Amino acid sequence: MSDPQQNPVRLDALDRKILSLLQQDASLPLEEIAARAGASRTPVWNRIRRMREQGVIRGQVALLDAESLGLEACFFVLVRTTEHDADWAGRFLAAVRARPEVVEAHRLAGDIDYILKVVVRNARAYDRFYQSLISEVRIQNVTALLSMEEMKATHALPIPPG
Amino acid sequence: MSDPQQNPVRLDALDRKILSLLQQDASLPLEEIAARAGASRTPVWNRIRRMREQGVIRGQVALLDAESLGLEACFFVLVRTTEHDADWAGRFLAAVRARPEVVEAHRLAGDIDYILKVVVRNARAYDRFYQSLISEVRIQNVTALLSMEEMKATHALPIPPG
DNA sequence: TTTGAAAACATCTACAT
DNA sequence: ATGTAGATGTTTTCAAA
């Protein structure tokens, strides 16, 4: 937690194995993680602590089921703007950060300026979001891509080999 | 875990408060969650157990820092295909599921057929992924959107009010 | 809902390898 | 740097009030 992303940290095979287990299931007891990683508690625990301090492990969260929460619609929103000054960008950033239905937002290279991932109850809720967003910041062009089926979704990053 | 997404489960305000806390930080002690939710341990614990059984809570994972792992590039890949038969779709699904660098894949409504989110070390690694994918399944047209900046990224779903 | 208490677990230390 | 072992405090889990 102390050292947020001080870039490529050196990780050995045991570190990577531990990370791989933890990002699949962080509720495993330490002893189980140690067993599966082929080591014993103390070294595994020391590595976990070190990786937390280094910021490699950012935290631990519960994953919820969108459908159980009544969140049945997911849109990817492609945004083009004519305005590229810092003031506009700041207001757009604030608008996006303030809306919990925007679960992801990226600034892009190339001809589309931004992509958003928006999770809402239904199409009507998306429209409310959209109207609210364009009333707050001027946007040249918006294309909404509606997800019909989540084929794959993981929170596990691909851990590169050494 | 027993009852995967049996759709809109009834949740009261306390359930939602608990979920909101857990999806921000699942390492909080039960007592802390109870205190912040304004209840005591046992009822909170019973609700957490119930929501796990109902599949509202899908699990608990560690979140890793992409940069620390040397994963500096993120692409959104827009895929168009001419082939819409079940066989092609099955092979595409298998190809996508087999590749850990694809962290998300959706089948879309409309003129673009699929969107993928791909996390890799750099542009060269993306090109390897791309070459490998198109050698495995025929694809009509691919547009890759390169993320220059992750403006927002959360694993927390927006929890709708009652 | 609260309290209390048993069992499981994480955490840290010390020592040996 | 890793393993073993154990001490300590915390947390989960469950029973009972």
Side-chain angles (χ1 to χ4, degrees):
Chain A
M1 323 278 185
S2 61
D3 196 356
Q5 71 253 20
Q6 194 216 25
N7 288 26
V9 168
R10 221 179 273 304
L11 301 171
D12 68 12
L14 180 55
D15 291 326
R16 287 193 295 274
K17 181 70 183 164
I18 293 166
L19 291 174
S20 161
L21 291 165
L22 286 177
Q23 69 174 347
Q24 284 180 248
D25 185 356
S27 70
L28 291 172
L30 182 59
E31 188 156 350
E32 181 68 22
I33 294 162
R36 295 203 203 172
S40 56
R41 260 172 293 148
T42 311
V44 170
W45 189 80
N46 285 331
R47 282 153 185 269
I48 291 173
R49 190 159 52 80
R50 195 197 74 226
M51 292 191 286
R52 278 205 275 246
E53 282 160 7
Q54 289 172 326
V56 179
I57 298 173
R58 295 173 79 109
Q60 197 173 319
V61 300
L63 298 181
L64 308 186
D65 180 64
E67 301 216 347
S68 300
L69 296 170
L71 298 167
E72 312 241 342
C74 169
F75 290 83
F76 289 89
V77 182
L78 308 180
V79 173
R80 251 185 276 248
T81 179
T82 43
E83 314 197 33
H84 294 281
D85 56 292
D87 174 64
W88 186 91
R91 284 184 297 115
F92 182 66
L93 180 61
V96 150
R97 292 240 170 106
R99 287 172 169 72
E101 55 271 58
V102 179
V103 297
E104 219 165 312
H106 294 253
R107 184 166 61 80
L108 301 176
D111 134 88
I112 295 165
D113 296 301
Y114 298 95
I115 187 168
L116 313 178
K117 183 184 175 189
V118 178
V119 174
V120 286
R121 197 190 279 283
N122 52 33
R124 182 169 309 179
Y126 171 75
D127 192 53
R128 275 198 299 275
F129 159 79
Y130 168 75
Q131 297 295 340
S132 154
L133 182 69
I134 62 170
S135 78
E136 189 169 335
V137 288
R138 182 180 300 279
I139 290 174
Q140 182 201 337
N141 182 279
V142 170
T143 305
L145 309 175
L146 168 61
S147 170
M148 299 307 292
E149 183 191 359
E150 191 179 85
M151 298 161 59
K152 178 175 183 177
T154 178
H155 300 277
L157 296 173
I159 299 177
Chain B
M1 319 283 189
S2 60
D3 196 356
Q5 71 252 21
Q6 194 216 25
N7 289 23
V9 169
R10 221 180 276 302
L11 302 172
D12 68 13
L14 180 55
D15 291 325
R16 287 194 295 275
K17 181 69 182 164
I18 294 165
L19 291 174
S20 162
L21 291 165
L22 285 177
Q23 71 172 346
Q24 285 180 247
D25 184 356
S27 70
L28 291 172
L30 183 59
E31 187 157 354
E32 181 69 21
I33 294 162
R36 294 201 203 172
S40 57
R41 270 172 302 155
T42 310
V44 170
W45 189 79
N46 286 331
R47 282 154 187 268
I48 291 173
R49 192 160 51 81
R50 194 197 76 227
M51 291 191 286
R52 277 205 274 247
E53 283 162 5
Q54 289 173 326
V56 180
I57 298 173
R58 294 172 81 108
Q60 196 171 321
V61 301
L63 297 181
L64 308 186
D65 180 64
E67 301 215 348
S68 300
L69 296 170
L71 298 167
E72 312 240 344
C74 170
F75 290 84
F76 289 89
V77 183
L78 308 179
V79 173
R80 253 184 275 247
T81 178
T82 43
E83 314 196 32
H84 293 281
D85 56 292
D87 175 64
W88 186 91
R91 283 184 297 116
F92 183 65
L93 179 61
V96 150
R97 292 238 170 109
R99 287 171 168 74
E101 54 271 58
V102 179
V103 298
E104 219 165 313
H106 295 253
R107 185 166 60 79
L108 301 176
D111 133 88
I112 294 164
D113 296 302
Y114 299 94
I115 187 169
L116 313 179
K117 182 184 176 189
V118 178
V119 174
V120 287
R121 197 191 279 282
N122 52 34
R124 181 170 309 181
Y126 171 75
D127 193 51
R128 276 197 298 275
F129 158 80
Y130 168 75
Q131 297 295 340
S132 155
L133 183 70
I134 62 170
S135 77
E136 189 169 335
V137 288
R138 181 180 301 279
I139 289 173
Q140 183 201 337
N141 182 281
V142 171
T143 305
L145 310 175
L146 169 61
S147 170
M148 298 307 292
E149 183 191 0
E150 191 179 84
M151 298 161 59
K152 178 175 183 177
T154 177
H155 299 277
L157 296 173
I159 299 176

